[in-house]
Amino acid sequence: MLFLAAALCALSCSKSDYVVYENIPAAFYISESGIVAVDDLQNSLTFTVVKGGDAHYTAQVSIVEDTRLIVKHNISNNLNYTPLPQECYTLSESNFSFSEEEVSKQFSITFAAEQIAALDKGSYAVALALESDNAVVNGDKGYVLLLIEK
């Protein structure tokens, strides 16, 4: 009798574990997320947007400028980075539509070195974050903060 109760418990636990793992929500993130020091303004930087977790659904994700990340970085590190003007860079893509099968897409940022050279000497930053109306974004890995010293 004790053996039968233990077997039923083991089966119910296994079933419950399976359901939990089956329903891990997808979360989007940038695989190269975090702080990036930009030393070479002549070449484009490429980043990968990844759909992790239970990735079998469609979703739309956008790359947006989020200056709050610059403010947070400045306060946390007692720095004074200012947002790089938008005319000083371009994104190859800022809106992504993921099908059920797609798990990653790439975008690049290209800098306008001549326009950056015309700026006053200082510390500049570009803060890019993922945003979505129909998907979860990983708050810790859903952004990239590009730092430029001039």
Side-chain angles (χ1 to χ4, degrees):
M1 185 68 142
L2 183 59
F3 176 76
L4 182 60
L8 285 174
C9 181
L11 285 175
S12 66
C13 291
S14 296
K15 177 83 171 147
S16 175
D17 289 346
Y18 178 74
V19 172
V20 171
Y21 289 120
E22 182 180 71
N23 294 317
I24 294 173
F28 284 86
Y29 62 94
I30 299 174
S31 63
E32 306 84 3
S33 65
I35 299 170
V36 177
V38 179
D39 298 323
D40 182 6
L41 297 174
Q42 301 300 321
N43 293 314
S44 296
L45 297 174
T46 301
F47 299 93
T48 305
V49 178
V50 179
K51 178 171 52 166
D54 182 12
H56 299 291
Y57 70 96
T58 61
Q60 288 70 44
V61 179
S62 298
I63 307 290
V64 296
E65 186 176 353
D66 189 350
T67 56
R68 295 174 298 175
L69 295 168
I70 299 170
V71 171
K72 182 179 176 182
H73 182 71
N74 283 341
I75 292 170
S76 297
N77 298 290
N78 197 27
L79 297 170
N80 192 26
Y81 281 91
T82 58
L84 186 69
Q86 287 184 343
E87 62 269 9
C88 293
Y89 65 92
T90 56
L91 297 177
S92 62
E93 185 71 36
S94 60
N95 296 301
F96 301 99
S97 290
F98 282 83
S99 69
E100 289 184 17
E101 297 81 26
E102 292 175 305
V103 294
S104 68
K105 295 194 178 207
Q106 292 187 324
F107 71 94
S108 297
I109 183 169
T110 303
F111 296 99
E114 302 82 31
Q115 290 180 335
I116 294 173
L119 296 174
D120 292 336
K121 186 174 181 164
S123 301
Y124 295 92
V126 178
L128 302 173
L130 296 178
E131 184 177 87
S132 179
D133 290 335
N134 68 343
V136 175
V137 172
N138 181 322
D140 294 333
K141 294 186 176 192
Y143 75 94
V144 64
L145 180 60
L146 307 169
L147 304 179
I148 301 164
E149 296 292 335
K150 180 175 172 319

